[in-house]
Amino acid sequence: MPIDPEYLKSLEQCRFEECLNKLDAIVREMESGNVPLEDMIHKFEEGSAIASICHKKLNSLKQKIEMLQPGREAAAGPVEPGSN
């Protein structure tokens, strides 16, 4: 059973934390051992799609942070171990 494209679109509109919570719920359900094999495959596909959405959201947020703080890494220089 393929994942509903409308469902995926709705997830793309959710906040990162919401997607992560949905992914966590799927993982917990799968780990419970109470999911039939056919449902397990569907849950795996759904979880993979949500993980991909989370990854895209993280990359987007990372790019926004880098744009807001240009040159921050270069200005900070390398971090020496034990130099707190």
Side-chain angles (χ1 to χ4, degrees):
M1 159 177 17
I3 305 209
D4 180 16
E6 292 300 317
Y7 173 66
L8 293 178
K9 283 182 186 178
S10 73
L11 287 176
E12 289 173 356
Q13 301 306 314
C14 291
R15 292 184 169 274
F16 173 79
E17 293 81 7
E18 293 175 62
C19 289
L20 195 58
N21 287 338
K22 289 180 185 291
L23 182 58
D24 185 50
I26 289 170
V27 170
R28 277 189 266 125
E29 187 176 356
M30 290 174 69
E31 288 178 341
S32 74
N34 298 325
V35 181
L37 182 59
E38 292 81 13
D39 293 344
M40 184 77 78
I41 299 298
H42 179 71
K43 294 285 182 191
F44 179 81
E45 291 173 340
E46 181 181 1
S48 294
I50 294 172
S52 177
I53 290 169
C54 286
H55 184 73
K56 289 176 188 175
K57 287 180 178 292
L58 281 177
N59 280 339
S60 175
L61 292 171
K62 180 182 174 187
Q63 288 175 349
K64 287 179 183 177
I65 290 169
E66 288 172 353
M67 286 175 52
L68 293 171
Q69 298 180 337
R72 185 177 190 283
E73 289 181 11
V79 176
E80 297 290 328
S83 62
N84 293 348

